[in-house]
Amino acid sequence: MSTSIYLDFEQSIETLENQLKELESSKNDSPDRHDEIRNVRKQLTDTIREVYGDLSPWQTVEVARHQKRPQSADYLNLVFDEFVELHGDRKFGDDRALRTGFAKLDKHKVMFIGHFKGRDLKERSECFFGCAHPEGYRKAIEKMQLAEKYNLPVITFIDTPGAYPGVGAEERGQAMAIADSMFVMSRLKTPIISVVIGEGGSGGALGIGVADRTAMLQHAYYSVISPEGCAGILWKSHEFKAKAAEALKFTSKYLPKFGIVDDVIEEPLGGAHRDHHQMAARLKMYLTKTVNELLAKPTDELVEGRYNKFRQMGVYLEREMEATEGEPAS
């Protein structure tokens, strides 16, 4: 039984692409057929631009979770020239949901840390669908400190619905491992760049997200909680996930305005899943440019700027409270 690669809101795109395939496979070589192919291609491009130019927050989540969307493993092959994986946290084991290693980006040697989701059921089970355990974050800490020792920039790719919520993970100190990772990143004396390539959910994402520059792909999302989790808490039902997504304001349309992300990397027309190579080229260009900019800054300035950046988040509510302080209650 085949599974459609099209999302629910892509029905018009699917119809046009099927029509185009029929025309291109036809043996009729008449001028009318070639004109019709050109017209359908133009109509398809216009339709994709129209659909993806006005995605709802929930539709953005669907795109971020698309089964064909490039993952960390794909970008390792397309963006970096070399990758040597480093295993284990030296305490418990090797978490396959969060992988680390030496990589080469253009002329720079870097430390790569990223979430892995897997493609098929076997890989996804091994990676726990991208949900890292405490040993994953402890592994990340070890490798970040190694990068600091050798003055290597750290690049993290975020793509997780959240940290693993199981009993075993909690018993082994999930919350503390994430907090320790955030603390280490806040004081790490080497450049850090984080990119949300798909899902950026909860503390599982923030555990490797305290960076000098935080970017996200155009159709990714970055949130304190997944829309299903938010709907389950507020409305006691996942049926309200679209309403929760709208309320969370977690897409690239909103987050730069809130100061949560610094840059948005534009995706190819119709999403990154339609052109892995073009998306990888844009990502590589951004990473190379940003690494060069950050390496030119003094280390003390980097650390101080990183602290101030995160310290200033969330001031909007404080200012609102200050403005209304002393006013009589209505």
Side-chain angles (χ1 to χ4, degrees), residues 29 48 83 140 145 149 152 168 170 174 221 232 291 303 321 324:
D29 200 31
I48 293 174
F83 177 65
Q145 291 173 333
K149 179 178 179 180
L152 301 179
E170 295 297 334
Q174 182 74 285
Y221 80 88
V291 166
V303 176
M321 292 174 66
T324 58

Side-chain angles (χ1 to χ4, degrees), residues 158-215:
I158 297 169
D159 191 13
T160 179
Y164 193 77
V167 174
E170 295 297 334
E171 289 175 342
R172 297 195 298 276
Q174 182 74 285
M176 195 65 197
I178 292 173
D180 286 341
S181 183
M182 293 169 61
F183 177 77
V184 168
M185 293 184 83
S186 70
R187 300 192 171 198
L188 204 69
K189 295 180 179 179
T190 194
I192 308 174
I193 303 169
S194 293
V195 183
V196 184
I197 61 172
E199 295 188 84
S202 194
L206 191 56
I208 58 169
V210 181
D212 301 297
R213 293 284 178 82
T214 303

Side-chain angles (χ1 to χ4, degrees), residues 26-97:
S26 173
K27 295 181 180 179
N28 180 8
D29 200 31
S30 67
D32 289 342
R33 170 178 165 268
H34 290 293
D35 288 341
E36 191 173 357
I37 287 175
R38 281 194 294 271
N39 290 334
V40 172
R41 282 178 177 167
K42 182 180 184 305
Q43 190 177 353
L44 175 61
T45 301
D46 291 342
T47 301
I48 293 174
R49 184 174 287 111
E50 181 181 354
V51 169
Y52 275 81
D54 190 30
L55 293 180
S56 70
W58 175 248
Q59 288 170 340
T60 300
V61 173
E62 292 184 295
V63 176
R65 295 173 176 173
H66 197 287
Q67 59 178 316
K68 297 294 184 181
R69 188 174 180 85
Q71 300 180 7
S72 293
D74 301 304
Y75 290 127
L76 277 177
N77 292 325
L78 296 173
V79 173
F80 300 94
D81 300 319
E82 299 173 18
F83 177 65
V84 179
E85 187 171 359
L86 301 174
H87 297 270
D89 69 339
R90 299 186 181 182
K91 292 180 180 178
F92 183 84
D94 185 39
D95 188 353
R96 306 306 291 152

